[in-house]
Amino acid sequence: MALLDIRNLDLNIYGVPVLRGVSLSIAAGETLGLVGESGSGKSMTALATMQLLPRGASARGSIRLDGEELIGRDERAMCALRGRDISMVFQEPMTALNPLKTVGAQVSEVFRLHLGAPRAECDAWASQVLERVGLPPARYAPDRYPHELSGGQRQRVVIAMAVALKPKLLIADEPTTALDVTTQAQILTLMRALVAEDGASLLLITHDLAVVAETADRVAVMRRGEVVEEGETAAFFGGMTHPYSRALLEASTHVPQRRPRVAPGTVPGTAPAAREGGPILVADGVVREYRGRRAGWFRPAGCHRAVDAVTLSVAPGESVGLVGESGCGKSTLARTLLALEAPQGGRILFRGRDVSSLDAAGIARLRRDVQVVFQDPYGSFDPRHKAGRLVAEPLHLLRGEIDAAERDRRIARVLSDVGLRPEDAEKYPHEFSGGQRQRLAIARALITRPALIVLDEPVSALDVSIRAQVLDLLAELQARHALAYLFISHDLAVVRAITDRVLVMRAGIIVEQGPTAAVLDAPQHDYTRTLVAASPDLARALAERRTRAMPAANGRSADAAVPSA
């Protein structure tokens, strides 16, 4: 009998169908990978299993956990099950954790609610669980608050809460989406180990097929609230039958068609900076430091060097990648290059001029010619404003140079450039999908006709098909407008697809740089080799799975050849 058995699950929210006839099962000790695009119903299936559905939801069908029906159970009965028999790791740990409570208290709470043990005993158990997930109290004090931990550490705290009572079923909803490759590899390894040690089952929800190939025993694909295909992992990847599954596989390995770089000045309509010879942007020995906490009343504050003597350049029409783990200084370097923070050492040259010597007019020209696309477009938009106003925000840098008619023409033009319609200017951000919001963010960066765009993790939170569309869009815009990109990412597959050169950053230092293919195919530095090895790779994962399966198959053949006694 399956540990989790979902049969003919239908789910409506205020009468709108969300899930249609979903049937899934997970055996004890098995890992099921549930994949699909955003909005396909993956998370709603998990929330229905946890009975954490939003207001207005109505579910029909059957969800059985170890033979017990969950649909129709009252909240008191479900509270007794959640955390003890079934637990969930949510996608964004910062919103899953209480910012007003220490991480130790939040893990301890699981024991107090379910076991009713004394606080001191629960705190001791919490410390043991935190150590189990790689946060030993001697190094990571349980009295820290969530904001004092990195993203990977916060995810470990959420996992600690989920596995504290060793549940039968663990649901992980996109647990590694926003993590860098090494932290992602550590989290996946940790979850596999915990599931193996506890004999639990795992429902892994993700849009990354490489992660599924590395982790799952079986795969199920969802589209528009339905399961369209499922099977054992190796067989699934070896013989996909549904067109949607094949489309997901193609998107996950998609490489945009990029035209060869054009010599400066040969593309009509390019920005002035792109028509000049030499690099657009040069960083020469840039240093950026932050003051730390005082060690005592009479001791000076420490100093953290986030960017340490970094030297780089970006030429017209060139795409330069910047990779490294979270906290290595990538975003700090980007803010410094954008003149949002002043360096303590070195210099930054924009079109040959030292940025530190620019007056207000010069800084305005810099802002116009160097634009940025942030990781989370929804968080960078004012939800009260319509798309047209949001896209036009940078036009204040051109005040006095364009009139209202030109403003409207530019809004319509950039919306068309990024694959949206001019009439979309009248919509609000919440009326767009995640991929469309990212297109809006790119449109906002394009509207001043810049020479260089800094892209800070622009596709890390997008599913594979939307990511492929955005990468195609970036390649097309670069070819059309001779744009230069500084592409910050932790996804080496994306960096390989979109960049000409790559710089590898660790602890504020550029440890390796060169042509993208040369660096990623034959890394010279140990840290680069670690990043490449940790990066999920679909072909490598399937090859390793086939290698692991060969001894078992050979053993079965040998057993078949010898009659039983």
Side-chain angles (χ1 to χ4, degrees):
M1 182 176 66
L3 176 69
L4 177 68
D5 191 22
I6 302 175
R7 285 286 171 262
N8 300 316
L9 176 63
D10 293 329
L11 177 66
N12 297 333
I13 298 180
Y14 289 114
V16 177
V18 176
L19 300 178
R20 303 178 183 86
V22 172
S23 294
L24 292 169
S25 65
I26 307 177
E30 184 182 43
T31 296
L32 173 67
L34 187 59
V35 300
E37 294 176 294
S38 298
S40 63
K42 307 186 301 297
S43 295
M44 277 300 168
T45 302
L47 293 175
T49 303
M50 295 287 293
Q51 291 294 286
L52 292 174
L53 292 170
R55 184 177 300 174
S58 172
R60 296 189 307 274
S62 174
I63 303 177
R64 292 184 176 272
L65 179 67
D66 211 7
E68 298 183 15
E69 182 61 54
L70 300 183
I71 291 182
R73 282 208 173 197
D74 60 31
E75 183 62 14
R76 187 181 184 89
M78 285 305 304
C79 284
L81 283 178
R82 297 187 198 116
R84 178 187 287 274
D85 293 330
I86 179 172
S87 289
M88 188 165 178
V89 177
F90 294 93
Q91 179 173 356
E92 178 46 62
M94 195 60 180
T95 57
L97 295 171
N98 188 334
L100 302 180
K101 285 188 175 183
T102 64
V103 296
Q106 295 187 62
V107 179
S108 176
E109 188 177 38
V110 178
F111 295 104
R112 287 195 293 107
L113 289 176
H114 285 279
L115 304 182
R119 182 180 295 272
E121 195 171 353
C122 293
D123 290 345
W125 289 337
S127 296
Q128 293 174 11
V129 175
L130 287 169
E131 183 160 10
R132 189 181 179 210
V133 298
L135 296 175
R139 185 176 176 189
Y140 305 98
D143 61 357
R144 291 188 183 187
Y145 289 89
H147 72 271
E148 298 180 285
L149 301 176
S150 69
Q153 291 165 351
R154 286 194 291 265
Q155 194 64 285
R156 288 174 185 267
V157 173
V158 175
I159 292 173
M161 295 171 65
V163 303
L165 294 175
K166 299 184 178 180
K168 301 173 184 176
L169 174 65
L170 180 63
I171 300 173
D173 188 1
E174 300 279 8
T176 61
T177 295
L179 302 179
D180 57 63
V181 289
T182 52
T183 305
Q184 174 177 274
Q186 293 166 9
I187 293 297
L188 290 173
T189 300
L190 170 65
M191 293 183 67
R192 285 195 294 264
L194 293 172
V195 168
E197 291 169 9
D198 297 342
S201 301
L202 173 63
L203 175 60
L204 178 62
I205 299 172
T206 182
H207 62 255
D208 193 328
L209 293 184
V211 168
V212 168
E214 288 180 355
T215 308
D217 300 307
R218 289 191 303 114
V219 184
V221 180
M222 289 193 72
R223 184 192 187 200
R224 297 176 182 173
E226 298 178 315
V227 176
V228 297
E229 188 169 4
E230 63 177 309
E232 187 272 332
T233 302
F236 171 80
F237 282 103
M240 293 178 179
T241 58
H242 197 279
Y244 180 69
S245 302
R246 292 197 292 269
L248 284 181
L249 178 62
E250 182 180 350
S252 67
T253 57
H254 178 73
V255 177
Q257 294 294 322
R258 299 182 63 218
R259 302 177 197 171
R261 282 179 55 203
V262 189
T266 61
V267 179
T270 57
R275 294 196 294 266
E276 299 176 4
I280 297 173
L281 189 69
V282 174
D284 183 14
V286 170
V287 174
R288 177 62 185 157
E289 296 177 336
Y290 298 100
R291 291 184 58 174
R293 294 180 177 178
R294 287 182 177 271
W297 284 105
F298 302 104
R299 296 182 182 179
C303 185
H304 172 62
R305 182 165 286 196
V307 176
D308 191 357
V310 168
T311 297
L312 62 84
S313 65
V314 183
E318 184 182 30
S319 186
V320 177
L322 182 62
V323 302
E325 295 174 294
S326 298
C328 71
K330 304 188 302 293
S331 294
T332 300
L333 175 60
R335 290 194 300 270
T336 308
L337 295 176
L338 291 165
L340 298 175
E341 297 183 7
Q344 282 85 21
R347 59 180 185 157
I348 299 169
L349 304 178
F350 177 68
R351 291 195 289 183
R353 293 187 62 188
D354 193 329
V355 171
S356 63
S357 67
L358 296 177
D359 56 13
I363 290 293
R365 284 193 294 273
L366 171 66
R367 299 266 188 270
R368 179 172 62 188
D369 291 337
V370 182
Q371 286 287 312
V372 61
V373 176
F374 297 100
Q375 178 176 356
D376 178 13
Y378 199 61
S380 66
F381 289 152
D382 189 328
R384 299 169 300 175
H385 295 162
K386 293 182 179 179
R389 178 172 175 177
L390 295 171
V391 167
E393 281 179 342
L395 291 180
H396 76 275
L397 298 166
L398 302 177
R399 190 177 291 119
E401 298 182 28
I402 63 173
D403 57 18
E406 174 62 16
R407 174 186 179 275
D408 293 341
R409 281 194 294 271
R410 287 202 180 194
I411 293 172
R413 189 179 303 124
V414 295
L415 288 176
S416 298
D417 281 348
V418 299
L420 298 174
R421 300 171 302 169
E423 49 267 35
D424 288 332
E426 295 302 313
K427 293 182 179 179
Y428 288 93
H430 71 271
E431 298 181 84
F432 295 92
S433 69
Q436 289 172 330
R437 284 196 290 265
Q438 196 62 285
R439 289 173 183 265
L440 280 179
I442 295 170
R444 181 172 60 181
L446 281 174
I447 200 163
T448 60
R449 299 175 182 171
L452 170 66
I453 297 180
V454 177
L455 301 123
D456 191 358
E457 301 280 8
V459 296
S460 63
L462 303 179
D463 57 56
V464 289
S465 57
I466 303 301
R467 182 181 68 184
Q469 294 171 17
V470 172
L471 291 179
D472 280 339
L473 172 63
L474 291 173
E476 178 189 348
L477 292 173
Q478 184 174 43
R480 189 188 309 166
H481 301 293
L483 290 169
Y485 292 148
L486 178 60
F487 200 97
I488 301 171
S489 180
H490 64 254
D491 191 329
L492 300 191
V494 170
V495 170
R496 183 190 292 273
I498 201 69
T499 65
D500 305 301
R501 288 190 298 119
V502 64
L503 297 89
V504 182
M505 196 171 191
R506 183 188 188 191
I509 300 172
I510 303 298
V511 297
E512 186 169 358
Q513 60 180 301
T516 301
V519 170
L520 299 184
D521 290 340
Q524 301 301 306
H525 196 277
D526 288 343
Y527 178 68
T528 310
R529 285 195 283 267
T530 300
L531 288 181
V532 172
S535 181
D537 184 280
L538 181 58
R540 184 179 64 204
L542 293 176
E544 291 174 355
R545 184 176 288 274
R546 286 192 295 268
T547 301
R548 291 195 302 268
M550 285 176 61
N554 292 337
R556 286 195 299 271
S557 298
D559 291 342
V562 180
S564 58

